[in-house]
mmCIF file of all heavy atoms in Angstrom:
data_model
loop_
_atom_site.group_PDB
_atom_site.id
_atom_site.type_symbol
_atom_site.label_atom_id
_atom_site.label_comp_id
_atom_site.label_asym_id
_atom_site.label_seq_id
_atom_site.Cartn_x
_atom_site.Cartn_y
_atom_site.Cartn_z
ATOM 1 N N PRO A 1 2.011 -11.392 24.542
ATOM 2 C CA PRO A 1 2.752 -10.524 23.628
ATOM 3 C C PRO A 1 1.870 -10.176 22.427
ATOM 4 O O PRO A 1 1.064 -10.991 21.985
ATOM 5 C CB PRO A 1 3.991 -11.345 23.217
ATOM 6 C CG PRO A 1 3.623 -12.734 23.510
ATOM 7 C CD PRO A 1 2.635 -12.719 24.631
ATOM 8 N N PRO A 2 1.971 -8.976 21.883
ATOM 9 C CA PRO A 2 1.168 -8.645 20.728
ATOM 10 C C PRO A 2 1.522 -9.482 19.513
ATOM 11 O O PRO A 2 2.663 -9.893 19.368
ATOM 12 C CB PRO A 2 1.476 -7.153 20.516
ATOM 13 C CG PRO A 2 2.658 -6.808 21.295
ATOM 14 C CD PRO A 2 2.848 -7.901 22.321
ATOM 15 N N LEU A 3 0.522 -9.671 18.662
ATOM 16 C CA LEU A 3 0.739 -10.368 17.417
ATOM 17 C C LEU A 3 0.242 -9.473 16.280
ATOM 18 O O LEU A 3 -0.901 -9.090 16.261
ATOM 19 C CB LEU A 3 -0.025 -11.716 17.388
ATOM 20 C CG LEU A 3 -0.015 -12.463 16.075
ATOM 21 C CD1 LEU A 3 1.431 -12.926 15.694
ATOM 22 C CD2 LEU A 3 -0.964 -13.657 16.112
ATOM 23 N N GLU A 4 1.150 -9.133 15.368
ATOM 24 C CA GLU A 4 0.775 -8.306 14.234
ATOM 25 C C GLU A 4 0.458 -9.194 13.047
ATOM 26 O O GLU A 4 1.255 -10.083 12.691
ATOM 27 C CB GLU A 4 1.905 -7.364 13.862
ATOM 28 C CG GLU A 4 2.135 -6.254 14.846
ATOM 29 C CD GLU A 4 3.169 -5.228 14.401
ATOM 30 O OE1 GLU A 4 3.749 -5.387 13.304
ATOM 31 O OE2 GLU A 4 3.324 -4.217 15.110
ATOM 32 N N ILE A 5 -0.725 -8.973 12.483
ATOM 33 C CA ILE A 5 -1.175 -9.812 11.372
ATOM 34 C C ILE A 5 -1.392 -8.841 10.157
ATOM 35 O O ILE A 5 -2.315 -8.030 10.212
ATOM 36 C CB ILE A 5 -2.469 -10.564 11.659
ATOM 37 C CG1 ILE A 5 -2.188 -11.509 12.848
ATOM 38 C CG2 ILE A 5 -2.996 -11.323 10.426
ATOM 39 C CD1 ILE A 5 -3.450 -12.176 13.360
ATOM 40 N N PRO A 6 -0.570 -9.002 9.090
ATOM 41 C CA PRO A 6 -0.829 -8.199 7.903
ATOM 42 C C PRO A 6 -2.181 -8.599 7.240
ATOM 43 O O PRO A 6 -2.370 -9.794 7.048
ATOM 44 C CB PRO A 6 0.372 -8.484 6.973
ATOM 45 C CG PRO A 6 1.387 -9.136 7.882
ATOM 46 C CD PRO A 6 0.625 -9.779 9.000
ATOM 47 N N VAL A 7 -3.020 -7.663 7.029
ATOM 48 C CA VAL A 7 -4.337 -7.958 6.434
ATOM 49 C C VAL A 7 -4.146 -7.849 4.924
ATOM 50 O O VAL A 7 -4.086 -6.758 4.393
ATOM 51 C CB VAL A 7 -5.401 -7.020 6.947
ATOM 52 C CG1 VAL A 7 -6.759 -7.335 6.310
ATOM 53 C CG2 VAL A 7 -5.494 -7.094 8.473
ATOM 54 N N THR A 8 -4.050 -8.975 4.245
ATOM 55 C CA THR A 8 -3.884 -9.010 2.833
ATOM 56 C C THR A 8 -5.182 -9.416 2.152
ATOM 57 O O THR A 8 -6.066 -10.041 2.794
ATOM 58 C CB THR A 8 -2.754 -10.002 2.414
ATOM 59 O OG1 THR A 8 -3.199 -11.347 2.783
ATOM 60 C CG2 THR A 8 -1.449 -9.705 3.089
ATOM 61 N N ARG A 9 -5.302 -9.096 0.882
ATOM 62 C CA ARG A 9 -6.483 -9.542 0.099
ATOM 63 C C ARG A 9 -6.563 -11.058 0.115
ATOM 64 O O ARG A 9 -7.623 -11.617 0.267
ATOM 65 C CB ARG A 9 -6.341 -8.986 -1.276
ATOM 66 C CG ARG A 9 -7.536 -9.203 -2.155
ATOM 67 C CD ARG A 9 -7.409 -8.442 -3.487
ATOM 68 N NE ARG A 9 -7.139 -7.002 -3.256
ATOM 69 C CZ ARG A 9 -8.058 -6.090 -2.993
ATOM 70 N NH1 ARG A 9 -9.314 -6.445 -2.877
ATOM 71 N NH2 ARG A 9 -7.714 -4.865 -2.799
ATOM 72 N N THR A 10 -5.433 -11.725 0.005
ATOM 73 C CA THR A 10 -5.389 -13.189 -0.006
ATOM 74 C C THR A 10 -5.899 -13.729 1.324
ATOM 75 O O THR A 10 -6.663 -14.695 1.308
ATOM 76 C CB THR A 10 -3.960 -13.654 -0.250
ATOM 77 O OG1 THR A 10 -3.506 -13.187 -1.559
ATOM 78 C CG2 THR A 10 -3.866 -15.185 -0.257
ATOM 79 N N LEU A 11 -5.486 -13.153 2.464
ATOM 80 C CA LEU A 11 -5.983 -13.595 3.732
ATOM 81 C C LEU A 11 -7.477 -13.451 3.851
ATOM 82 O O LEU A 11 -8.195 -14.408 4.302
ATOM 83 C CB LEU A 11 -5.281 -12.860 4.899
ATOM 84 C CG LEU A 11 -5.816 -13.156 6.282
ATOM 85 C CD1 LEU A 11 -5.549 -14.608 6.681
ATOM 86 C CD2 LEU A 11 -5.117 -12.227 7.306
ATOM 87 N N ILE A 12 -8.016 -12.326 3.393
ATOM 88 C CA ILE A 12 -9.443 -12.080 3.460
ATOM 89 C C ILE A 12 -10.213 -13.055 2.617
ATOM 90 O O ILE A 12 -11.177 -13.703 3.124
ATOM 91 C CB ILE A 12 -9.754 -10.625 3.028
ATOM 92 C CG1 ILE A 12 -9.206 -9.651 4.072
ATOM 93 C CG2 ILE A 12 -11.256 -10.433 2.846
ATOM 94 C CD1 ILE A 12 -9.213 -8.228 3.631
ATOM 95 N N VAL A 13 -9.775 -13.259 1.365
ATOM 96 C CA VAL A 13 -10.507 -14.176 0.446
ATOM 97 C C VAL A 13 -10.362 -15.633 0.910
ATOM 98 O O VAL A 13 -11.340 -16.377 0.948
ATOM 99 C CB VAL A 13 -10.003 -13.970 -1.001
ATOM 100 C CG1 VAL A 13 -10.642 -14.999 -1.926
ATOM 101 C CG2 VAL A 13 -10.336 -12.540 -1.464
ATOM 102 N N ALA A 14 -9.130 -16.000 1.268
ATOM 103 C CA ALA A 14 -8.932 -17.368 1.670
ATOM 104 C C ALA A 14 -9.709 -17.718 2.951
ATOM 105 O O ALA A 14 -10.249 -18.810 3.086
ATOM 106 C CB ALA A 14 -7.420 -17.639 1.903
ATOM 107 N N GLY A 15 -9.774 -16.765 3.905
ATOM 108 C CA GLY A 15 -10.540 -16.989 5.157
ATOM 109 C C GLY A 15 -12.021 -17.145 4.814
ATOM 110 O O GLY A 15 -12.693 -18.008 5.402
ATOM 111 N N ALA A 16 -12.517 -16.354 3.906
ATOM 112 C CA ALA A 16 -13.973 -16.438 3.544
ATOM 113 C C ALA A 16 -14.263 -17.792 2.843
ATOM 114 O O ALA A 16 -15.238 -18.449 3.187
ATOM 115 C CB ALA A 16 -14.359 -15.298 2.646
ATOM 116 N N VAL A 17 -13.391 -18.167 1.941
ATOM 117 C CA VAL A 17 -13.624 -19.466 1.219
ATOM 118 C C VAL A 17 -13.490 -20.615 2.183
ATOM 119 O O VAL A 17 -14.300 -21.534 2.187
ATOM 120 C CB VAL A 17 -12.605 -19.568 0.016
ATOM 121 C CG1 VAL A 17 -12.650 -20.978 -0.536
ATOM 122 C CG2 VAL A 17 -12.918 -18.556 -1.006
ATOM 123 N N ALA A 18 -12.475 -20.579 3.062
ATOM 124 C CA ALA A 18 -12.264 -21.717 4.003
ATOM 125 C C ALA A 18 -13.418 -21.864 4.916
ATOM 126 O O ALA A 18 -13.718 -22.974 5.360
ATOM 127 C CB ALA A 18 -10.948 -21.479 4.818
ATOM 128 N N SER A 19 -14.099 -20.742 5.259
ATOM 129 C CA SER A 19 -15.258 -20.830 6.190
ATOM 130 C C SER A 19 -16.545 -20.883 5.417
ATOM 131 O O SER A 19 -17.634 -20.790 6.015
ATOM 132 C CB SER A 19 -15.221 -19.632 7.146
ATOM 133 O OG SER A 19 -15.295 -18.409 6.411
ATOM 134 N N ARG A 20 -16.466 -21.082 4.100
ATOM 135 C CA ARG A 20 -17.620 -21.231 3.220
ATOM 136 C C ARG A 20 -18.556 -19.949 3.270
ATOM 137 O O ARG A 20 -19.799 -20.116 3.208
ATOM 138 C CB ARG A 20 -18.401 -22.503 3.528
ATOM 139 C CG ARG A 20 -17.608 -23.724 3.279
ATOM 140 C CD ARG A 20 -18.342 -24.973 3.556
ATOM 141 N NE ARG A 20 -17.493 -26.170 3.284
ATOM 142 C CZ ARG A 20 -17.898 -27.376 3.274
ATOM 143 N NH1 ARG A 20 -19.178 -27.639 3.494
ATOM 144 N NH2 ARG A 20 -17.108 -28.350 3.009
ATOM 145 N N ASP A 21 -17.934 -18.857 3.466
ATOM 146 C CA ASP A 21 -18.670 -17.598 3.440
ATOM 147 C C ASP A 21 -18.502 -16.949 2.082
ATOM 148 O O ASP A 21 -17.513 -16.311 1.805
ATOM 149 C CB ASP A 21 -18.204 -16.661 4.543
ATOM 150 C CG ASP A 21 -18.944 -15.346 4.652
ATOM 151 O OD1 ASP A 21 -19.700 -15.006 3.698
ATOM 152 O OD2 ASP A 21 -18.734 -14.653 5.620
ATOM 153 N N TYR A 22 -19.457 -17.200 1.183
ATOM 154 C CA TYR A 22 -19.308 -16.758 -0.191
ATOM 155 C C TYR A 22 -19.947 -15.374 -0.432
ATOM 156 O O TYR A 22 -20.161 -14.994 -1.608
ATOM 157 C CB TYR A 22 -19.867 -17.805 -1.132
ATOM 158 C CG TYR A 22 -19.188 -19.164 -0.947
ATOM 159 C CD1 TYR A 22 -19.895 -20.250 -0.511
ATOM 160 C CD2 TYR A 22 -17.809 -19.265 -1.148
ATOM 161 C CE1 TYR A 22 -19.265 -21.461 -0.315
ATOM 162 C CE2 TYR A 22 -17.179 -20.515 -0.929
ATOM 163 C CZ TYR A 22 -17.921 -21.617 -0.512
ATOM 164 O OH TYR A 22 -17.255 -22.789 -0.323
ATOM 165 N N GLN A 23 -20.245 -14.642 0.611
ATOM 166 C CA GLN A 23 -20.785 -13.266 0.375
ATOM 167 C C GLN A 23 -19.780 -12.444 -0.474
ATOM 168 O O GLN A 23 -18.590 -12.460 -0.127
ATOM 169 C CB GLN A 23 -21.065 -12.575 1.746
ATOM 170 C CG GLN A 23 -22.230 -13.220 2.403
ATOM 171 C CD GLN A 23 -22.645 -12.360 3.617
ATOM 172 O OE1 GLN A 23 -22.481 -11.133 3.619
ATOM 173 N NE2 GLN A 23 -23.184 -12.980 4.625
ATOM 174 N N ASP A 24 -20.259 -11.790 -1.439
ATOM 175 C CA ASP A 24 -19.379 -11.116 -2.398
ATOM 176 C C ASP A 24 -18.503 -10.050 -1.781
ATOM 177 O O ASP A 24 -17.441 -9.740 -2.240
ATOM 178 C CB ASP A 24 -20.178 -10.545 -3.541
ATOM 179 C CG ASP A 24 -21.337 -9.649 -3.197
ATOM 180 O OD1 ASP A 24 -21.440 -9.293 -1.984
ATOM 181 O OD2 ASP A 24 -22.128 -9.348 -4.080
ATOM 182 N N VAL A 25 -18.964 -9.445 -0.647
ATOM 183 C CA VAL A 25 -18.172 -8.370 -0.025
ATOM 184 C C VAL A 25 -16.832 -8.913 0.549
ATOM 185 O O VAL A 25 -15.967 -8.080 0.924
ATOM 186 C CB VAL A 25 -18.970 -7.658 1.097
ATOM 187 C CG1 VAL A 25 -20.124 -6.910 0.515
ATOM 188 C CG2 VAL A 25 -19.391 -8.635 2.178
ATOM 189 N N HIS A 26 -16.651 -10.205 0.590
ATOM 190 C CA HIS A 26 -15.407 -10.794 1.119
ATOM 191 C C HIS A 26 -14.456 -11.226 0.014
ATOM 192 O O HIS A 26 -13.374 -11.723 0.307
ATOM 193 C CB HIS A 26 -15.702 -11.956 2.047
ATOM 194 C CG HIS A 26 -16.582 -11.572 3.223
ATOM 195 N ND1 HIS A 26 -16.314 -10.541 4.044
ATOM 196 C CD2 HIS A 26 -17.749 -12.085 3.624
ATOM 197 C CE1 HIS A 26 -17.220 -10.447 4.967
ATOM 198 N NE2 HIS A 26 -18.113 -11.323 4.779
ATOM 199 N N HIS A 27 -14.881 -11.057 -1.279
ATOM 200 C CA HIS A 27 -13.983 -11.525 -2.364
ATOM 201 C C HIS A 27 -14.051 -10.688 -3.627
ATOM 202 O O HIS A 27 -13.203 -10.771 -4.458
ATOM 203 C CB HIS A 27 -14.220 -13.020 -2.710
ATOM 204 C CG HIS A 27 -15.577 -13.288 -3.250
ATOM 205 N ND1 HIS A 27 -15.850 -13.128 -4.569
ATOM 206 C CD2 HIS A 27 -16.729 -13.693 -2.644
ATOM 207 C CE1 HIS A 27 -17.156 -13.419 -4.771
ATOM 208 N NE2 HIS A 27 -17.655 -13.820 -3.660
ATOM 209 N N ASP A 28 -15.069 -9.819 -3.750
ATOM 210 C CA ASP A 28 -15.268 -9.065 -4.976
ATOM 211 C C ASP A 28 -15.256 -7.557 -4.623
ATOM 212 O O ASP A 28 -16.230 -7.025 -4.078
ATOM 213 C CB ASP A 28 -16.601 -9.469 -5.544
ATOM 214 C CG ASP A 28 -16.903 -8.787 -6.905
ATOM 215 O OD1 ASP A 28 -16.386 -7.651 -7.122
ATOM 216 O OD2 ASP A 28 -17.687 -9.375 -7.689
ATOM 217 N N ALA A 29 -14.130 -6.939 -4.941
ATOM 218 C CA ALA A 29 -13.945 -5.531 -4.534
ATOM 219 C C ALA A 29 -15.017 -4.628 -5.170
ATOM 220 O O ALA A 29 -15.507 -3.650 -4.514
ATOM 221 C CB ALA A 29 -12.549 -5.034 -4.922
ATOM 222 N N GLU A 30 -15.398 -4.871 -6.405
ATOM 223 C CA GLU A 30 -16.357 -4.060 -7.088
ATOM 224 C C GLU A 30 -17.776 -4.189 -6.382
ATOM 225 O O GLU A 30 -18.442 -3.184 -6.135
ATOM 226 C CB GLU A 30 -16.509 -4.429 -8.560
ATOM 227 C CG GLU A 30 -17.467 -3.560 -9.337
ATOM 228 C CD GLU A 30 -17.092 -2.034 -9.281
ATOM 229 O OE1 GLU A 30 -15.912 -1.755 -9.289
ATOM 230 O OE2 GLU A 30 -18.031 -1.243 -9.292
ATOM 231 N N ALA A 31 -18.151 -5.389 -6.071
ATOM 232 C CA ALA A 31 -19.368 -5.637 -5.365
ATOM 233 C C ALA A 31 -19.381 -4.999 -3.981
ATOM 234 O O ALA A 31 -20.362 -4.373 -3.540
ATOM 235 C CB ALA A 31 -19.680 -7.143 -5.231
ATOM 236 N N ALA A 32 -18.233 -5.051 -3.320
ATOM 237 C CA ALA A 32 -18.094 -4.385 -1.983
ATOM 238 C C ALA A 32 -18.301 -2.909 -2.137
ATOM 239 O O ALA A 32 -19.030 -2.258 -1.329
ATOM 240 C CB ALA A 32 -16.744 -4.686 -1.362
#
């Protein structure tokens, strides 16, 4: 069955931090 996942800013930033990916394009909108 399909799974819909709302893509939120919090999900993006939390996923990057949890995976220790500190590239600014995953948490800093201005840098992106």
Side-chain angles (χ1 to χ4, degrees):
L3 174 64
E4 290 188 355
I5 298 173
V7 180
T8 64
R9 187 170 306 279
T10 300
L11 175 63
I12 292 169
V13 173
V17 171
S19 61
R20 297 182 180 188
D21 182 347
Y22 303 117
Q23 289 189 30
D24 53 10
V25 295
H26 302 307
H27 65 83
D28 183 334
E30 184 59 35

